Amino acid sequence: MHQRYELLAGLTVALFACGVPCMFWCCLFAHRHNLRHEAIQHLRFLVADYTPQCWYWEVAECGKKLVLVGMTLFVAEQGSLAQVMGSMAFVVAYTLVCIWLKPYKCRTDYHLALLANFALVVEMLMALLINIFALLEQTRILHKTSFK
């Protein structure tokens, strides 16, 4: 019985994590040509901070969070070099797209987004270095014990 509840909980979390960005996308895509119109002010919170050309950027932000928090768990072992490197590559690519598109209306928001992404890259670089040093230490210990 407990396994069925675990399965139900997992499906619910997956549906919510993927469903919310998909729902945002569907709502925005249907009204993408008239997002500033009075009749659809209920969607304003999704587009107010972005340029009209980047009406979808809130969905991209949700996708970024979904990839970094959820999807990386399925890529490799938690905390492994592959997982950290994959996440870091994703954030670098996302940051480059952000630099290229400049989706934010306000310059301060744009700079804060770049700073936040830079902080993520630095954090992942530190995790990468920790993993590399741990592997080097394991190799050194194995190397010492194999020659005794």
Side-chain angles (χ1 to χ4, degrees):
M1 186 68 160
H2 181 70
Q3 288 179 334
R4 281 197 274 177
Y5 287 124
E6 281 182 352
L7 178 64
L8 180 63
L11 288 173
T12 305
V13 168
L15 181 65
F16 182 78
C18 297
V20 169
C22 288
M23 183 189 68
F24 286 172
W25 172 263
C26 291
C27 290
L28 291 174
F29 187 78
H31 301 289
R32 69 188 179 280
H33 298 298
N34 59 350
L35 285 169
R36 307 292 180 226
H37 194 269
E38 277 299 311
I40 51 172
Q41 288 301 304
H42 60 284
L43 299 175
R44 183 164 163 69
F45 75 100
L46 293 172
V47 295
D49 296 329
Y50 308 110
T51 61
Q53 306 88 284
C54 294
W55 53 267
Y56 52 84
W57 198 253
E58 189 63 35
V59 178
E61 284 289 327
C62 288
K64 177 181 96 170
K65 294 170 189 168
L66 180 62
V67 167
L68 290 177
V69 174
M71 298 299 184
T72 55
L73 294 175
F74 302 110
V75 172
E77 184 181 326
Q78 189 173 353
S80 68
L81 283 174
Q83 188 183 45
V84 174
M85 288 175 64
S87 297
M88 192 163 68
F90 176 79
V91 172
V92 168
Y94 186 88
T95 303
L96 291 174
V97 170
C98 186
I99 290 169
W100 181 50
L101 292 176
K102 292 182 177 53
Y104 297 95
K105 283 182 186 176
C106 179
R107 208 158 147 196
T108 306
D109 291 343
Y110 174 69
H111 290 147
L112 283 172
L114 291 181
L115 185 63
N117 287 330
F118 178 73
L120 279 173
V121 170
V122 169
E123 177 183 322
M124 290 176 197
L125 184 60
M126 292 300 128
L128 191 63
L129 289 173
I130 289 170
N131 278 340
I132 290 171
F133 287 133
L135 285 173
L136 289 173
E137 185 65 25
Q138 284 177 346
T139 305
R140 190 174 65 81
I141 290 170
L142 289 175
H143 186 67
K144 278 184 176 179
T145 58
S146 65
F147 286 111
K148 284 187 178 183

